[in-house]
Amino acid sequence: ALAVKGAMGQILLWVSFLEVFGTLALLDTLDGKRAPGDFKFDPLNFSKNPDTAKRYALAEIKNGRLAMMGIGGMVHGYFITGKGPIELLTSK
């Protein structure tokens, strides 16, 4: 039903778009032209001070690791109970 309405086509289009730019960023990283995760997006100039930039980079890595652990916990909780996190919170 979703393919008939075109929603899946749109999802495929946008995911493909993101994959292309991710691949370009990966190739730049492998060539040594940029650091991993550095997309040069800093509208508030947080990276002006190198010490602050290092602190924020470390905080971002830690935040990403915690997020991965949280998602892993939700997935494993689903495998064990057969219910997602919202179902577990709303069930009595």
Side-chain angles (χ1 to χ4, degrees):
L2 288 177
V4 174
K5 295 181 181 177
M8 294 302 279
Q10 289 180 10
I11 291 171
L12 179 64
L13 173 77
W14 290 108
V15 169
S16 300
F17 178 75
L18 293 174
E19 283 289 324
V20 166
F21 283 102
T23 302
L24 294 174
L26 176 64
L27 292 175
D28 282 348
T29 302
L30 293 175
D31 288 340
K33 295 178 185 174
R34 69 178 199 77
D38 184 14
F39 292 100
K40 304 294 182 203
F41 181 74
D42 189 14
L44 301 176
N45 291 323
F46 285 132
S47 63
K48 248 183 184 176
N49 183 349
D51 294 332
T52 305
K54 285 181 184 177
R55 192 180 80 204
Y56 280 130
L58 181 61
E60 185 67 25
I61 289 171
K62 288 181 178 182
N63 184 24
R65 289 175 180 165
L66 286 173
M68 287 188 282
M69 289 175 60
I71 294 294
M74 288 191 291
V75 169
H76 284 83
Y78 175 77
F79 288 150
I80 292 170
T81 64
K83 296 181 180 179
I86 303 297
E87 291 171 318
L88 286 172
L89 290 173
T90 58
S91 66
K92 292 181 181 180

